Short mmCIF file of all heavy atoms in Angstrom, two decimals:
data_model
loop_
_atom_site.label_atom_id
_atom_site.label_comp_id
_atom_site.label_asym_id
_atom_site.label_seq_id
_atom_site.Cartn_x
_atom_site.Cartn_y
_atom_site.Cartn_z
N ALA A 259 10.43 -18.67 -3.36
CA ALA A 259 9.01 -18.98 -3.18
C ALA A 259 8.70 -20.19 -4.06
O ALA A 259 8.76 -20.09 -5.29
CB ALA A 259 8.16 -17.78 -3.59
N THR A 260 8.41 -21.31 -3.42
CA THR A 260 8.11 -22.53 -4.18
C THR A 260 6.68 -22.49 -4.72
O THR A 260 5.86 -21.66 -4.29
CB THR A 260 8.24 -23.77 -3.27
OG1 THR A 260 7.32 -23.61 -2.18
CG2 THR A 260 9.66 -23.92 -2.72
N ALA A 261 6.37 -23.41 -5.64
CA ALA A 261 5.02 -23.48 -6.20
C ALA A 261 4.01 -23.73 -5.08
O ALA A 261 2.91 -23.16 -5.08
CB ALA A 261 4.94 -24.59 -7.24
N ASP A 262 4.39 -24.56 -4.12
CA ASP A 262 3.49 -24.87 -3.01
C ASP A 262 3.24 -23.64 -2.14
O ASP A 262 2.09 -23.33 -1.79
CB ASP A 262 4.11 -25.98 -2.15
CG ASP A 262 3.28 -26.28 -0.92
OD1 ASP A 262 2.16 -26.78 -1.09
OD2 ASP A 262 3.73 -25.98 0.20
N LEU A 263 4.29 -22.89 -1.85
CA LEU A 263 4.11 -21.68 -1.03
C LEU A 263 3.21 -20.69 -1.77
O LEU A 263 2.31 -20.09 -1.18
CB LEU A 263 5.48 -21.04 -0.73
CG LEU A 263 5.42 -19.75 0.09
CD1 LEU A 263 4.87 -20.00 1.49
CD2 LEU A 263 6.80 -19.10 0.19
N ILE A 264 3.44 -20.54 -3.07
CA ILE A 264 2.64 -19.60 -3.87
C ILE A 264 1.16 -20.02 -3.85
O ILE A 264 0.27 -19.19 -3.70
CB ILE A 264 3.21 -19.53 -5.31
CG1 ILE A 264 4.54 -18.77 -5.28
CG2 ILE A 264 2.23 -18.88 -6.28
CD1 ILE A 264 5.35 -18.85 -6.55
N ALA A 265 0.91 -21.32 -3.94
CA ALA A 265 -0.48 -21.81 -3.92
C ALA A 265 -1.12 -21.53 -2.57
O ALA A 265 -2.28 -21.11 -2.48
CB ALA A 265 -0.51 -23.31 -4.21
N ARG A 266 -0.36 -21.75 -1.50
CA ARG A 266 -0.94 -21.51 -0.17
C ARG A 266 -1.19 -20.02 0.05
O ARG A 266 -2.19 -19.63 0.64
CB ARG A 266 -0.02 -22.10 0.90
CG ARG A 266 -0.09 -23.65 0.88
CD ARG A 266 0.71 -24.32 1.98
NE ARG A 266 2.13 -24.12 1.83
CZ ARG A 266 2.91 -23.51 2.73
NH1 ARG A 266 2.36 -23.04 3.84
NH2 ARG A 266 4.19 -23.37 2.53
N LEU A 267 -0.29 -19.17 -0.45
CA LEU A 267 -0.50 -17.72 -0.33
C LEU A 267 -1.75 -17.29 -1.10
O LEU A 267 -2.55 -16.50 -0.62
CB LEU A 267 0.70 -16.96 -0.89
CG LEU A 267 2.01 -17.05 -0.11
CD1 LEU A 267 3.13 -16.43 -0.93
CD2 LEU A 267 1.88 -16.34 1.23
N ALA A 268 -1.89 -17.85 -2.32
CA ALA A 268 -3.04 -17.47 -3.16
C ALA A 268 -4.34 -17.87 -2.49
O ALA A 268 -5.34 -17.16 -2.59
CB ALA A 268 -2.91 -18.13 -4.53
N ALA A 269 -4.31 -18.98 -1.77
CA ALA A 269 -5.53 -19.45 -1.09
C ALA A 269 -5.75 -18.72 0.24
O ALA A 269 -6.77 -18.91 0.89
CB ALA A 269 -5.43 -20.95 -0.84
N GLY A 270 -4.78 -17.92 0.64
CA GLY A 270 -4.93 -17.19 1.90
C GLY A 270 -4.73 -18.07 3.12
O GLY A 270 -5.23 -17.75 4.21
N LEU A 271 -4.02 -19.17 2.96
CA LEU A 271 -3.80 -20.07 4.11
C LEU A 271 -2.80 -19.45 5.08
O LEU A 271 -2.02 -18.56 4.72
CB LEU A 271 -3.27 -21.42 3.62
CG LEU A 271 -4.22 -22.26 2.78
CD1 LEU A 271 -3.59 -23.59 2.41
CD2 LEU A 271 -5.53 -22.51 3.55
N ALA A 272 -2.85 -19.95 6.30
CA ALA A 272 -1.91 -19.51 7.34
C ALA A 272 -1.48 -20.75 8.10
O ALA A 272 -1.64 -20.84 9.30
CB ALA A 272 -2.56 -18.48 8.24
N ASP A 273 -0.91 -21.73 7.36
CA ASP A 273 -0.61 -23.01 7.99
C ASP A 273 0.86 -23.19 8.34
O ASP A 273 1.29 -24.26 8.72
CB ASP A 273 -1.11 -24.17 7.11
CG ASP A 273 -0.55 -24.11 5.69
OD1 ASP A 273 0.11 -23.10 5.35
OD2 ASP A 273 -0.76 -25.06 4.93
N ASP A 274 1.65 -22.15 8.15
CA ASP A 274 3.02 -22.16 8.67
C ASP A 274 3.43 -20.72 8.96
O ASP A 274 2.63 -19.79 8.78
CB ASP A 274 3.99 -22.87 7.71
CG ASP A 274 4.14 -22.15 6.37
OD1 ASP A 274 3.53 -21.06 6.21
OD2 ASP A 274 4.85 -22.65 5.50
N LEU A 275 4.66 -20.53 9.40
CA LEU A 275 5.06 -19.19 9.83
C LEU A 275 5.07 -18.18 8.67
O LEU A 275 4.47 -17.10 8.80
CB LEU A 275 6.42 -19.28 10.53
CG LEU A 275 6.89 -18.02 11.24
CD1 LEU A 275 5.86 -17.49 12.23
CD2 LEU A 275 8.21 -18.29 11.94
N PRO A 276 5.71 -18.47 7.53
CA PRO A 276 5.72 -17.46 6.46
C PRO A 276 4.33 -17.06 5.99
O PRO A 276 4.03 -15.86 5.83
CB PRO A 276 6.52 -18.13 5.33
CG PRO A 276 7.41 -19.11 6.02
CD PRO A 276 6.61 -19.62 7.20
N THR A 277 3.42 -18.02 5.78
CA THR A 277 2.08 -17.66 5.28
C THR A 277 1.30 -16.87 6.35
O THR A 277 0.58 -15.94 6.02
CB THR A 277 1.27 -18.91 4.88
OG1 THR A 277 1.34 -19.85 5.93
CG2 THR A 277 1.77 -19.52 3.59
N THR A 278 1.48 -17.23 7.61
CA THR A 278 0.80 -16.50 8.69
C THR A 278 1.29 -15.05 8.73
O THR A 278 0.50 -14.11 8.85
CB THR A 278 1.06 -17.19 10.05
OG1 THR A 278 0.62 -18.52 9.95
CG2 THR A 278 0.33 -16.48 11.17
N LEU A 279 2.60 -14.87 8.60
CA LEU A 279 3.16 -13.51 8.65
C LEU A 279 2.65 -12.67 7.48
O LEU A 279 2.38 -11.48 7.64
CB LEU A 279 4.69 -13.58 8.63
CG LEU A 279 5.29 -14.10 9.95
CD1 LEU A 279 6.77 -14.45 9.76
CD2 LEU A 279 5.12 -13.08 11.06
N VAL A 280 2.50 -13.30 6.33
CA VAL A 280 2.00 -12.56 5.16
C VAL A 280 0.59 -12.04 5.42
O VAL A 280 0.25 -10.90 5.06
CB VAL A 280 2.05 -13.44 3.89
CG1 VAL A 280 1.21 -12.86 2.77
CG2 VAL A 280 3.50 -13.61 3.43
N LEU A 281 -0.23 -12.84 6.09
CA LEU A 281 -1.60 -12.37 6.39
C LEU A 281 -1.59 -11.31 7.50
O LEU A 281 -2.46 -10.45 7.55
CB LEU A 281 -2.49 -13.53 6.83
CG LEU A 281 -2.87 -14.56 5.76
CD1 LEU A 281 -3.93 -15.49 6.31
CD2 LEU A 281 -3.37 -13.91 4.49
N ALA A 282 -0.59 -11.40 8.38
CA ALA A 282 -0.60 -10.52 9.56
C ALA A 282 0.12 -9.20 9.33
O ALA A 282 0.12 -8.35 10.21
CB ALA A 282 0.05 -11.27 10.74
N THR A 283 0.74 -9.03 8.18
CA THR A 283 1.50 -7.80 7.96
C THR A 283 0.79 -6.87 6.98
O THR A 283 0.05 -7.32 6.10
CB THR A 283 2.92 -8.11 7.42
OG1 THR A 283 3.68 -6.90 7.42
CG2 THR A 283 2.89 -8.68 6.01
N ALA A 284 1.05 -5.57 7.15
CA ALA A 284 0.55 -4.59 6.16
C ALA A 284 1.67 -4.24 5.18
O ALA A 284 1.48 -3.42 4.29
CB ALA A 284 0.07 -3.34 6.87
N ALA A 285 2.85 -4.84 5.36
CA ALA A 285 4.00 -4.48 4.53
C ALA A 285 3.84 -5.05 3.12
O ALA A 285 3.26 -6.12 2.94
CB ALA A 285 5.29 -5.02 5.16
N PRO A 286 4.37 -4.35 2.11
CA PRO A 286 4.32 -4.87 0.74
C PRO A 286 5.06 -6.21 0.65
O PRO A 286 6.06 -6.43 1.33
CB PRO A 286 5.06 -3.81 -0.07
CG PRO A 286 4.98 -2.58 0.75
CD PRO A 286 4.97 -3.02 2.18
N LEU A 287 4.53 -7.06 -0.23
CA LEU A 287 5.06 -8.43 -0.36
C LEU A 287 5.72 -8.64 -1.73
O LEU A 287 5.14 -8.29 -2.76
CB LEU A 287 3.90 -9.42 -0.17
CG LEU A 287 4.21 -10.89 -0.39
CD1 LEU A 287 5.26 -11.40 0.58
CD2 LEU A 287 2.93 -11.73 -0.24
N TYR A 288 6.91 -9.24 -1.70
CA TYR A 288 7.65 -9.59 -2.92
C TYR A 288 7.90 -11.08 -2.93
O TYR A 288 8.23 -11.66 -1.90
CB TYR A 288 9.00 -8.86 -2.93
CG TYR A 288 8.83 -7.38 -3.05
CD1 TYR A 288 8.63 -6.61 -1.92
CD2 TYR A 288 8.82 -6.77 -4.29
CE1 TYR A 288 8.43 -5.24 -2.02
CE2 TYR A 288 8.61 -5.41 -4.41
CZ TYR A 288 8.42 -4.66 -3.28
OH TYR A 288 8.20 -3.32 -3.39
N LEU A 289 7.77 -11.68 -4.10
CA LEU A 289 8.03 -13.11 -4.26
C LEU A 289 9.14 -13.31 -5.26
O LEU A 289 9.14 -12.69 -6.33
CB LEU A 289 6.81 -13.83 -4.84
CG LEU A 289 5.49 -13.83 -4.09
CD1 LEU A 289 4.47 -14.64 -4.88
CD2 LEU A 289 5.70 -14.43 -2.72
N ALA A 290 10.05 -14.21 -4.95
CA ALA A 290 11.07 -14.62 -5.93
C ALA A 290 10.85 -16.10 -6.20
O ALA A 290 11.38 -16.96 -5.50
CB ALA A 290 12.46 -14.36 -5.37
N PRO A 291 10.02 -16.43 -7.22
CA PRO A 291 9.68 -17.83 -7.46
C PRO A 291 10.92 -18.65 -7.85
O PRO A 291 11.85 -18.14 -8.48
CB PRO A 291 8.71 -17.77 -8.65
CG PRO A 291 8.24 -16.36 -8.70
CD PRO A 291 9.37 -15.53 -8.18
N ALA A 292 10.87 -19.91 -7.45
CA ALA A 292 11.94 -20.85 -7.81
C ALA A 292 11.32 -22.23 -7.92
O ALA A 292 10.80 -22.74 -6.93
CB ALA A 292 13.03 -20.85 -6.74
N MET A 293 11.32 -22.77 -9.13
CA MET A 293 10.73 -24.10 -9.30
C MET A 293 11.11 -24.66 -10.67
O MET A 293 11.64 -23.94 -11.53
CB MET A 293 9.20 -24.04 -9.16
CG MET A 293 8.50 -23.25 -10.24
SD MET A 293 6.81 -22.81 -9.79
CE MET A 293 7.07 -21.50 -8.59
#
Side-chain angles (χ1 to χ4, degrees):
T260 59
D262 176 67
L263 178 65
I264 288 169
R266 288 184 294 119
L267 291 171
L271 294 182
D273 55 353
D274 64 3
L275 189 54
T277 50
T278 303
L279 289 167
V280 164
L281 290 190
T283 189
L287 175 61
Y288 294 86
L289 298 182
M293 66 196 74

